[in-house]
Amino acid sequence: MKSQIHEFQGELLSFAKHLHSLDNSRTIQGWRGVASRLKQHQPDLFAWDDVNYNDMLPKEWDGTPTGLAKRMYRQDPSISLNAWRMRINTAFNNGAITTSHRPEFVVEHLKKENKSHEDLWADIEAISKKAIANVEHARWADIHMQTPEDKFIGIAFQSDQHIGNPFCDHEQLRIDTELIANSENVFVIHAGDYIDNFIIDKPRPAMKASIPPSVQWKLCEHYLDMSVDSLMAVVAGNHDLWTAGMTDFDPLKRFVEERGVLYHAHELNLRVWVAEIPYHISVRHKRRGNSNLDPSRVIKKMWDDGEADFDIGVVGHHHTPLVSPFTKHGQERWAVRPGAYKIVDSFGEMCGFPREKPTSPMVILNPHTKEIQGFTDLRMGLRTLAALNGDEYDEDLGIQ
């Protein structure tokens, strides 16, 4: 063994492993014992000394002995992790390493300071004032038309398309939408219920749906693109909002806002400026106050309740088409109910309601004086608009 002393690197276990690799007549522990006794009786034979390792230890450490041992082993693995730990423990015991007490973590209690009742009330006033203002601002918008100032403009209204339902007249919906999109100075506002969208809270209708909601949403997106350049604003319907109500995702909101179109889940109040003349249009999908005997009643009630002093009120939902003037405070107003492209409704048939007629009612706004003309029939409105503007009208191509 003495002939191998020059291989000693300061750690007996590693030296014992080396001796065992040369002569396995003894175990590693056996060779370690022999080397330990020889080192004890003849220390001069060993060139390495523990002091070399001790000199490598820091004079101050703010962690645990085990943590320092791991650090020293990564720095110099010539001796084992346990050997480093033994040296470090000895150094701590002898005072060769001093400890600086640094906590492993610091707790900051996030408890708010106690406030007086007056301060709490002032805070909640500010919060509620901001919340109410945000809701109101989201419902209002000014739209300044960029059409020639001497041109009359037409605005069509569509709602209750129920795309994906087998009883939706998809062909007529496409034809009417393309006619609007192809006509000069004609725009469209949507009032919700794009798709049937019977989902979790409507299990029985969902089981009967031949076209699932996922496909209906794809069809809805395609429908939006048919007239996206003419699409002025969108209000969601209850069928559209079922997805948002069951999840944290509103597909219609995403589709509409990606296309840069004005959107609100419940109501929009639009001031549409034609030249220098403002026309106030208030749009909802549904509202309390509906009457089966007088479809215009819900819109008159909306005006009477004072939510907005509108010139044109639009409400969908009940699938009943109507365009009707009414007078408030000496001024002519218009009630518009877009009807539905879902011409057959099993619930409606059960209750005795008649089948619906697909329609996109339309109003014409005068750029010279505040004057509105209303039409239940889209094509009659387009023909009149073309005549007012001196344009050509084609039944298939629209106003050119």
Side-chain angles (χ1 to χ4, degrees):
M1 184 185 73
K2 290 183 178 181
S3 62
Q4 296 297 324
I5 291 296
H6 66 280
E7 298 290 343
F8 179 70
Q9 298 293 317
E11 209 279 313
L12 289 175
L13 180 59
S14 298
F15 185 50
K17 290 179 180 179
H18 172 68
L19 295 175
H20 178 71
S21 68
L22 299 176
D23 182 356
N24 59 9
S25 61
R26 286 188 174 89
T27 65
I28 293 175
Q29 292 301 323
W31 278 117
R32 183 176 182 180
V34 172
S36 179
R37 289 190 295 272
L38 182 62
K39 186 172 183 291
Q40 185 178 1
H41 293 95
Q42 300 184 52
D44 295 339
L45 292 175
F46 292 83
W48 287 74
D49 191 88
D50 287 344
V51 177
N52 295 332
Y53 288 102
N54 291 341
D55 288 345
M56 297 172 64
L57 298 176
K59 303 303 181 185
E60 186 177 288
W61 177 248
D62 57 6
T64 64
T66 299
L68 179 56
K70 291 179 179 179
R71 177 182 136 179
M72 299 308 300
Y73 182 72
R74 288 193 298 269
Q75 181 177 329
D76 188 345
S78 60
I79 62 176
S80 67
L81 178 63
N82 189 53
W84 276 117
R85 188 181 293 111
M86 293 174 62
R87 284 174 170 77
I88 290 167
N89 285 333
T90 300
F92 271 112
N93 293 334
N94 294 336
I97 301 177
T98 58
T99 303
S100 61
H101 295 285
R102 180 180 63 84
E104 294 296 322
F105 54 87
V106 177
V107 176
E108 292 184 4
H109 196 183
L110 300 180
K111 182 179 179 180
K112 292 184 178 179
E113 63 177 333
N114 291 328
K115 290 187 176 182
S116 68
H117 293 172
E118 291 80 5
D119 289 340
L120 289 173
W121 189 272
D123 288 346
I124 198 65
E125 274 192 21
I127 292 171
S128 60
K129 185 176 182 180
K130 182 178 180 180
I132 293 169
N134 287 342
V135 168
E136 285 300 310
H137 292 165
R139 295 192 307 153
W140 288 81
D142 281 282
I143 299 176
H144 296 267
M145 304 306 301
Q146 301 300 307
T147 53
E149 291 190 356
D150 61 337
K151 293 290 185 179
F152 291 73
I153 73 163
I155 299 180
F157 302 94
Q158 293 182 333
S159 75
D160 297 275
Q161 297 87 345
H162 291 274
I163 296 168
N165 186 288
F167 296 114
C168 166
D169 193 339
H170 292 88
E171 180 183 22
Q172 191 62 52
L173 176 59
R174 174 185 56 80
I175 291 172
D176 289 354
T177 302
E178 290 177 348
L179 196 58
I180 293 169
N182 293 335
S183 294
E184 291 289 330
N185 303 311
V186 178
F187 306 90
V188 63
I189 293 174
H190 290 170
D193 273 5
Y194 283 86
I195 66 175
D196 254 5
N197 198 32
F198 284 108
I199 50 177
I200 298 173
D201 64 333
K202 307 286 182 181
R204 294 182 63 186
M207 288 188 292
K208 297 179 181 179
S210 58
I211 301 175
S214 60
V215 178
Q216 293 176 21
W217 280 121
K218 292 179 182 178
L219 294 170
C220 171
E221 192 170 11
H222 177 66
Y223 164 67
L224 288 171
D225 286 333
M226 287 183 188
S227 61
V228 67
D229 292 335
S230 305
L231 185 54
M232 186 173 285
V234 169
V235 172
N238 56 302
H239 285 247
D240 309 317
L241 293 174
W242 283 338
T243 298
M246 299 300 297
T247 69
D248 62 347
F249 178 54
D250 184 346
L252 181 60
K253 183 176 188 291
R254 195 198 79 183
F255 293 161
V256 172
E257 291 185 348
E258 281 180 349
R259 288 156 175 78
V261 177
L262 188 64
Y263 171 85
H264 197 279
H266 306 294
E267 178 181 332
L268 279 174
N269 289 283
L270 312 173
R271 283 182 291 255
V272 180
W273 294 79
V274 183
E276 298 298 323
I277 304 199
Y279 293 89
H280 185 164
I281 304 175
S282 186
V283 186
R284 291 189 64 91
H285 175 69
K286 66 176 182 177
R287 190 190 186 279
R288 60 188 175 84
N290 187 69
S291 169
N292 292 328
L293 299 178
D294 179 11
S296 68
R297 179 184 182 277
V298 64
I299 296 174
K300 295 173 184 176
K301 182 74 166 57
M302 184 166 69
W303 196 97
D304 287 337
D305 287 345
E307 296 176 6
D309 182 17
F310 55 80
D311 302 301
I312 303 168
V314 183
V315 176
H317 187 60
H318 287 94
H319 298 196
T320 303
L322 170 88
V323 176
S324 175
F326 64 97
T327 302
K328 292 291 183 181
H329 290 189
Q331 293 187 33
E332 186 178 70
R333 325 281 177 166
W334 287 82
V336 177
R337 306 296 302 272
Y341 280 87
K342 182 182 178 182
I343 61 175
V344 178
D345 188 289
S346 58
F347 176 77
E349 288 192 328
M350 179 183 70
C351 297
F353 293 110
R355 293 190 177 188
E356 303 300 341
K357 175 187 176 181
T359 178
S360 293
M362 176 175 160
V363 296
I364 295 177
L365 307 182
N366 192 322
H368 308 295
T369 61
K370 192 164 187 176
E371 180 183 82
I372 301 170
Q373 299 180 60
F375 302 86
T376 56
D377 180 75
L378 173 65
R379 285 152 185 80
M380 180 62 74
L382 292 175
R383 283 194 289 269
T384 304
L385 180 64
L388 289 169
N389 285 333
D391 296 328
E392 296 293 329
Y393 171 71
D394 186 284
E395 289 291 343
D396 297 318
L397 302 177
I399 299 175
Q400 305 299 308

